[in-house]
Amino acid sequence: MGSITRKYKMNRNDGKAVPRKKPMTMTEILTSTSSTLATIMFAWSIIRQYSPQGLRQYFQTYFSKFMDYIYPSPYVRIAIYEFVGDRFSRNKAFAAVEAYLSDKLSDDAKRLKAEVGESKNNFSLSMDEYERVTDEYENAEFWWTSSKIAGSATKSLSLYPDTDRRFYQLKFHKKHRELVKESYLKHVLKEGKEIRVNRRRRKLYTNGTGNRWLIHRSTTWSEVYFEHPASFDTIGMDPIKKQEIIEDLLTFSQSKEYYARIGKAWKRGYLLYGPPGTGKSTMIAAMANLLNYDVYDLELTAVKDNTELRKLLIETTSKSIIVIEDIDCSLEFTKQRKIVEKKSSNEEKEKKKAIKEPKKEEEEVKSKVTLSGLLNFIDGIWSACGGERLIVFTTNHLEKLDPALIRRGRMDKHIELSYCSYEAFKVLAKNYLNVETHELFEEIKELFNNVKMSPADVAENLMPKSREEAEEHALRRLIGSLEETKRVAEEKKKEKSKETSPPKIVDEKERPSEIVKEEESSLE
């Protein structure tokens, strides 16, 4: 065997000498391992390319189990899929995790996906497939990975084609299992929901009769983006009263635990009343912008009955304002719950004739919402199906509403929006003319003490009518309008005093003799 020497050992059974195997060197181990891994990877690539999807998933599942059996891992993995259920409804937990991880991207992620956000003026960033970021919570590390399961390449006849299934995978050490179950996942969901709410574009919803038989209609609400620019800084009203409303709204939005402790649904009612043009709709927009709430504009005349009213309530979300404007005109919710009308015989005949005739389409869609149904909508059992909602009524005639509808507990805060005052005028002058003081302000102040004018009329007079118009011209136009309003009010007051004054008694001696003779002859 030349220069190569071998060691021999004796076999105990037959006494033959057998060569002792030489231990493998590190190079031989690496070569053998590389060859084995190359064979496995080649086989796996063949399986992935040519085998059906079901077979691929089968191999992948049992291969993972085999590897875990050979090399037990101390880590636990949790998958959160984008779609769940038979109908592939989007998983709310997936959306919350996606929003939560977006805050971690700037530090760890190297590969990102950019999409146009809802505002269409910026990009929305998210993790690219198979990217991983690290999160720390209470001195523990957690690894999030964005993954997907490729769908079938073949066409499917199903209504729900087999598309790629995206999911986030959470990996953590098994010693943190209780921490994840007790607090970490709750922390992720809470933070993710808050991020989504802050980033979303608020919407304005409205209900309508529409076509209720369309299969694709999943809700009775229609929406558009809510982009009203009103704020409490631009509302013309008394500053003290304005600050009181702001504090009340902010206190409500931060009182979730308080409402739970006292056993009340997390909602609050606001009644806005006052003459037309005093800013009731603007106040609602300012509330929504202050709290970052959506707005649901409920048209009662388009609601078929109380059952449909409950369905509309169920479909509203939290962090929203449910508005019923001009509620005194929507339905008959006046003080008198039963109005007995006296009808003439001709009207009775017409009524009998109408009964015999077939019902018209307008009569079939007439709203059957009752006062009882509306009261249950506001503070009944169904009103507690969601939290953090404001219910706002507006009216121009407070005296027409039923006391049961506006009592405390239903409409918790009554806000009167009255005519423009001098303090409100200064706010409007700052908004429309960018003027905080002027020599004409004293004259305007004196007029506001004697004249009633709505903030809408004041704003119209202050609005420039041309690009070259100076602020003094707008102020003088307002003064002229105030003086004209004052003159008209005085004339109406004089006419009213004449109508209500008692008739003048004339003495017989002062009456002309000709008139007395005519009256005596008429009596004869």
Side-chain angles (χ1 to χ4, degrees):
M1 297 182 65
S3 62
I4 300 177
T5 60
R6 293 180 178 273
K7 294 183 179 180
Y8 293 86
K9 65 177 181 177
M10 301 297 295
N11 193 315
R12 296 180 181 180
N13 296 330
D14 51 10
K16 294 180 179 180
V18 295
R20 179 180 294 175
K21 292 183 178 181
K22 184 180 179 180
M24 297 181 66
T25 63
M26 182 59 66
T27 304
E28 293 174 337
I29 293 174
L30 292 176
T31 303
S32 177
T33 304
S34 301
S35 177
T36 304
L37 290 175
T39 304
I40 293 174
M41 295 301 295
F42 176 76
W44 177 243
S45 63
I46 296 297
I47 292 173
R48 291 185 63 183
Q49 185 173 359
Y50 296 104
S51 65
Q53 181 184 2
L55 185 61
R56 292 201 307 269
Q57 293 180 354
Y58 176 83
F59 275 110
Q60 186 174 2
T61 301
Y62 283 93
F63 180 76
S64 299
K65 291 182 178 180
F66 176 73
M67 295 302 296
D68 288 340
Y69 178 77
I70 296 177
Y71 302 106
S73 175
Y75 296 99
V76 180
R77 294 172 175 83
I78 298 177
I80 301 176
Y81 290 90
E82 182 177 11
F83 295 99
V84 293
D86 297 336
R87 295 272 180 181
F88 293 97
S89 58
R90 198 164 197 267
N91 189 0
K92 295 181 179 179
F94 181 90
V97 170
E98 188 174 42
Y100 175 80
L101 294 179
S102 64
D103 275 1
K104 311 293 179 182
L105 300 178
S106 58
D107 297 331
D108 297 333
K110 301 296 187 299
R111 293 181 297 129
L112 308 174
K113 291 188 302 183
E115 298 176 356
V116 178
E118 288 186 340
S119 63
K120 298 182 180 180
N121 293 324
N122 57 1
F123 284 98
S124 174
L125 299 179
S126 60
M127 293 170 57
D128 198 4
E129 278 76 13
Y130 309 110
E131 181 66 11
R132 189 177 77 167
V133 295
T134 304
D135 187 23
E136 292 185 3
Y137 178 76
E138 294 188 3
N139 299 324
E141 283 192 345
F142 302 93
W143 297 274
W144 288 94
T145 306
S146 174
S147 304
K148 70 176 180 179
I149 299 175
S152 176
T154 59
K155 294 183 179 180
S156 175
L157 298 177
S158 172
L159 292 175
Y160 305 98
D162 190 10
T163 57
D164 296 347
R165 296 183 64 191
R166 297 172 56 209
F167 66 94
Y168 286 107
Q169 186 180 79
L170 170 63
K171 178 182 175 182
F172 57 92
H173 198 279
K174 61 183 180 181
K175 66 181 179 181
H176 301 310
R177 182 188 293 267
E178 292 300 321
L179 176 64
V180 171
K181 291 170 57 179
E182 295 296 329
S183 62
Y184 179 67
L185 287 179
K186 295 179 181 178
H187 163 74
V188 171
L189 291 178
K190 180 181 178 182
E191 294 291 328
K193 289 179 180 178
E194 291 181 357
I195 293 171
R196 290 192 69 205
V197 168
N198 294 331
R199 289 182 178 179
R200 84 190 194 286
R201 287 184 68 186
R202 287 172 294 108
K203 294 182 178 180
L204 171 63
Y205 296 84
T206 184
N207 65 303
T209 53
N211 189 351
R212 304 176 190 279
W213 301 103
L214 293 178
I215 298 176
H216 67 272
R217 270 189 80 128
S218 59
T219 177
T220 51
W221 293 102
S222 302
E223 79 241 21
V224 294
Y225 288 121
F226 182 76
E227 298 177 344
H228 201 292
S231 66
F232 278 95
D233 293 333
T234 60
I235 289 180
M237 65 181 304
D238 182 75
I240 298 176
K241 189 175 182 179
K242 184 192 301 185
Q243 188 61 35
E244 178 186 345
I245 297 171
I246 294 174
E247 289 297 328
D248 189 85
L249 290 168
L250 295 177
T251 301
F252 166 80
S253 64
Q254 301 169 7
S255 301
K256 180 179 180 179
E257 292 78 10
Y258 175 77
Y259 276 84
R261 181 171 61 84
I262 63 177
K264 286 187 63 177
W266 192 14
K267 64 179 183 61
R268 187 164 176 80
Y270 287 81
L271 176 65
L272 309 181
Y273 66 96
T278 52
K280 293 182 284 295
S281 299
T282 306
M283 173 65 71
I284 295 171
M287 288 179 173
N289 289 329
L290 175 69
L291 300 178
N292 199 21
Y293 283 5
D294 293 325
V295 178
Y296 288 84
D297 184 15
L298 179 60
E299 179 58 49
L300 283 179
T301 56
V303 182
K304 184 178 179 182
D305 51 26
N306 294 335
T307 302
E308 185 174 333
L309 186 63
R310 283 197 295 269
K311 291 180 180 178
L312 289 168
L313 176 64
I314 293 172
E315 291 178 359
T316 59
T317 60
S318 59
K319 294 185 179 294
S320 61
I321 303 177
I322 303 174
V323 180
I324 303 179
E325 292 196 273
D326 298 323
I327 190 172
D328 55 300
C329 302
S330 298
L331 293 173
E332 292 296 333
F333 297 137
T334 58
K335 289 182 178 180
Q336 298 176 351
R337 304 192 185 189
K338 293 182 180 180
I339 303 176
V340 180
E341 298 181 353
K342 295 181 180 180
K343 297 184 178 181
S344 62
S345 59
N346 293 334
E347 292 175 344
E348 290 292 337
K349 292 179 181 179
E350 292 178 0
K351 183 178 179 181
K352 292 179 181 179
K353 184 179 179 180
I355 294 175
K356 295 180 181 180
E357 294 178 353
K359 292 183 178 181
K360 298 181 180 179
E361 185 179 356
E362 291 83 1
E363 295 176 351
E364 292 178 358
V365 299
K366 186 178 180 180
S367 176
K368 295 182 180 179
V369 176
T370 63
L371 177 61
S372 175
L374 184 61
L375 296 181
N376 290 329
F377 174 87
I378 299 171
D379 66 348
I381 296 177
W382 287 97
S383 66
C385 63
E388 197 171 0
R389 289 186 299 197
L390 299 178
I391 300 176
V392 180
F393 290 169
T394 69
T395 180
N396 296 333
H397 305 283
L398 179 63
E399 67 282 356
K400 291 184 177 182
L401 297 180
D402 194 297
L405 186 64
I406 59 176
R407 69 165 176 82
R408 305 293 179 176
R410 291 192 175 113
M411 293 293 103
D412 304 286
K413 188 172 183 61
H414 295 189
I415 302 175
E416 181 182 8
L417 299 176
S418 187
Y419 294 103
C420 188
S421 63
Y422 176 69
E423 295 296 329
F425 155 75
K426 290 196 296 184
V427 175
L428 295 175
K430 173 64 176 176
N431 295 337
Y432 285 84
L433 303 176
N434 198 22
V435 174
E436 295 184 0
T437 181
H438 197 275
E439 58 183 8
L440 296 176
F441 275 20
E442 288 297 326
E443 185 178 354
I444 294 174
K445 181 178 180 181
E446 184 66 25
L447 287 170
F448 270 119
N449 293 332
N450 302 311
V451 179
K452 292 182 178 180
M453 180 176 285
S454 67
D457 292 333
V458 174
E460 179 60 27
N461 283 283
L462 293 178
M463 185 173 293
K465 306 305 178 184
S466 66
R467 289 174 293 178
E468 293 81 12
E469 185 180 73
E471 60 271 9
E472 183 176 352
H473 186 76
L475 292 174
R476 292 195 179 279
R477 181 171 56 244
L478 174 62
I479 292 174
S481 181
L482 288 171
E483 291 176 345
E484 177 65 18
T485 304
K486 180 179 179 182
R487 185 186 64 79
V488 172
E490 290 176 350
E491 290 181 355
K492 289 183 178 180
K493 187 176 180 181
K494 291 178 180 179
E495 292 177 359
K496 188 176 180 180
S497 61
K498 289 180 180 179
E499 293 175 357
T500 57
S501 60
K504 185 178 179 180
I505 301 176
V506 182
D507 191 0
E508 293 290 339
K509 296 179 180 180
E510 297 179 356
R511 297 174 68 188
S513 58
E514 295 179 355
I515 297 177
V516 175
K517 291 180 180 180
E518 289 180 0
E519 291 179 354
E520 291 177 352
S521 62
S522 62
L523 292 175
E524 292 177 356

